């Protein structure tokens, strides 16, 4: 929480993430702002500007997109960049709600607001890869096994039972649909333009994370605190896939790499 209130820390996060994009050769499809250091302090953050539209503004995406399938491509890029950062960056973006993802005018996906980030200890990296794959395929027992590998169990965990508990939670989640808002707005030139947005219920996502943590504890498993942040982002992406890219198969689409080849520590800022 204290880090989120210190804009100097967020400025450092931006520098590290921009370097991660460049060194991972992802900067052609994704970007983030950079801080203006001379205009940044603990309580003030000044950044370079990203021009674009929110990823969940469906109507704006259609107007902005130069090619068909731009919304799906943007979701694929965002998921690929984020999942790669989980195992290849010093941290992952831990607040990827729709307002923090942009489709930029240059076609790249923009990540903004790095006040909340998550860091995973090395011992859970392999478990995270398995968790991501089981999440996509809906293999709840495999998901349970990955969570066991990620956490600390007081005794042997019945992964079949744990998997059934997880399936019940995700079944409830599947019944909750994003809210679609349709309206009109007046542009700077005086024209009237239609817009539609897809809103993901943050409270519902948080409740699901809490339900998973409670189910883990009921099955004798204590998950690391990073799990909540990680899973919340996965739930956001699950909604984006279903709303904006329902035909995208993350496990077989070459644009998405859910398992990165390896992780290298981010260099110190002074090494730039």
């Amino acid at each position: 929480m204290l880090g989120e209130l210190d804009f100097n820390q967020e400025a450092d996060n931006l520098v590290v993430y921009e370097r991660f994009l460049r060194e991972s050769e992802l900067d052609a499809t994704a970007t983030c702002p950079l801080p203006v250091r001379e205009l940044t302090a603990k309580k003030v953050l000044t950044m370079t500007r990203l021009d674009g539209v929110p990823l969940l503004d469906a109507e704006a995406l259609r107007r902005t997109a130069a090619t068909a399938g731009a919304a799906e491509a943007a979701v694929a890029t965002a998921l690929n960049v984020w999942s790669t950062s989980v195992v290849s960056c010093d941290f992952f973006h831990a607040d990827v709600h729709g307002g923090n993802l942009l489709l930029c005018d240059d076609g790249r996906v923009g990540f903004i607001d790095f006040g909340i980030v998550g860091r995973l200890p090395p011992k859970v990296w392999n478990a995270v890869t398995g968790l991501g794959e089981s999440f996509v395929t809906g293999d709840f027992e495999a998901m349970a096994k990955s969570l066991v590998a990620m956490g600390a169990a007081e005794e042997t965990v019945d992964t079949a039972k744990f998997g059934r508990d997880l399936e019940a939670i995700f079944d409830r989640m599947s019944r909750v649909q994003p809210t679609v808002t349709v309206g009109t707005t007046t542009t700077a030139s005086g024209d009237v333009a239609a817009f539609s947005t897809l809103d993901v219920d943050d409270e519902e996502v948080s409740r699901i994370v809490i339900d998973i943590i409670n189910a883990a504890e009921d099955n004798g498993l204590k998950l690391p605190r990073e799990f909540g942040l990680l899973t919340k982002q996965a739930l956001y992406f699950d909604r984006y896939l279903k709303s904006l890219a329902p035909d995208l198969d993350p496990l077989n689409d070459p644009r998405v790499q859910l398992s990165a080849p390896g992780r290298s520590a981010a260099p110190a800022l002074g090494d730039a």
Side-chain angles (χ1 to χ4, degrees), residues 177-211:
Q177 299 299 320
T179 301
V180 180
T181 303
V182 180
T184 60
T185 186
T186 303
T187 66
S189 61
D191 297 327
V192 177
F195 73 88
S196 62
T197 59
L198 299 168
D199 297 321
V200 179
D201 189 337
D202 287 351
E203 291 186 3
E204 180 63 25
V205 171
S206 296
R207 281 194 294 269
I208 292 168
V209 173
I210 292 172
D211 287 345

Side-chain angles (χ1 to χ4, degrees), residues 134 139-149 159-160 162-163 166 221:
S134 60
D139 187 338
F140 296 101
E141 186 169 355
M143 188 183 301
K145 291 178 180 178
S146 294
L147 290 174
V148 170
T159 54
F162 187 18
L166 292 172
L221 181 66

Side-chain angles (χ1 to χ4, degrees), residues 78-220:
L79 178 57
N80 183 54
V81 171
W82 181 81
S83 61
T84 301
S85 74
V86 171
V87 293
S88 297
C89 185
D90 190 43
F91 56 78
F92 60 89
H93 194 302
D95 197 18
V96 291
H97 64 72
N100 285 341
L101 295 176
L102 305 177
L103 178 59
C104 297
D105 292 350
D106 62 7
R108 293 185 294 176
V109 171
F111 286 76
I112 62 175
D113 191 354
F114 284 78
I116 304 177
V117 298
R119 292 176 171 83
L120 291 179
K123 67 178 183 179
V124 303
W125 292 339
N126 290 335
V128 167
T129 298
L131 181 64
E133 293 177 353
S134 60
F135 186 89
V136 171
T137 60
D139 187 338
F140 296 101
E141 186 169 355
M143 188 183 301
K145 291 178 180 178
S146 294
L147 290 174
V148 170
M150 183 182 294
E154 298 175 355
E155 54 189 28
T156 302
V157 176
D158 184 343
T159 54
K161 175 185 176 300
F162 187 18
R164 291 192 295 272
D165 293 343
L166 292 172
E167 184 173 9
I169 293 170
F170 281 92
D171 180 63
R172 293 199 304 272
M173 182 190 80
S174 68
R175 301 175 190 175
V176 180
Q177 299 299 320
T179 301
V180 180
T181 303
V182 180
T184 60
T185 186
T186 303
T187 66
S189 61
D191 297 327
V192 177
F195 73 88
S196 62
T197 59
L198 299 168
D199 297 321
V200 179
D201 189 337
D202 287 351
E203 291 186 3
E204 180 63 25
V205 171
S206 296
R207 281 194 294 269
I208 292 168
V209 173
I210 292 172
D211 287 345
I212 295 173
I213 293 173
N214 289 338
E217 292 179 350
D218 289 344
N219 283 275

Side-chain angles (χ1 to χ4, degrees), residues 214-237:
N214 289 338
E217 292 179 350
D218 289 344
N219 283 275
L221 181 66
K222 183 176 178 59
L223 295 170
R225 62 183 182 86
E226 295 87 359
F227 167 80
L229 286 175
L230 187 71
T231 302
K232 190 171 184 179
Q233 313 321 304
L235 291 171
Y236 279 131
F237 277 113

